[in-house]
Amino acid sequence: MPDLPEPQEETSPRESDAERRRRRAQFLRELAEARELRDRVQPRRAKTARLRHAMRMRTFRW
């Protein structure tokens, strides 16, 4: 059974922070893309969700 290489430690916290932000940005881009695709595939559900969100925003007290 081959040994798996252990994850390497980051040498500086700045690099790991930048890497984390890069991965987070990538995740958020993919999430937005998935939402757009879902909205295109299910327009009725997307419209209902938009109306529901608008109602929540109208009734929210600042």
Side-chain angles (χ1 to χ4, degrees):
M1 194 172 217
D3 291 346
L4 295 174
E6 293 185 18
Q8 295 182 356
E9 296 290 325
E10 293 288 336
T11 55
S12 74
R14 183 174 294 168
E15 285 179 338
S16 64
D17 193 39
E19 177 66 20
R20 184 184 63 80
R21 281 198 307 268
R22 188 190 64 74
R23 282 186 288 120
R24 183 173 185 271
Q26 177 67 30
F27 169 76
L28 292 175
R29 277 194 300 272
E30 290 174 359
L31 185 63
E33 186 180 331
R35 278 198 188 115
E36 290 172 8
L37 177 62
R38 188 185 63 204
D39 290 352
R40 268 200 315 273
V41 172
Q42 301 174 332
R44 189 181 306 165
R45 186 173 290 179
K47 180 180 178 184
T48 305
R50 273 196 312 274
L51 293 173
R52 219 178 267 128
H53 179 71
M55 182 63 71
R56 274 198 313 269
M57 294 308 286
R58 275 199 302 269
T59 58
F60 183 77
R61 300 190 130 224
W62 295 97

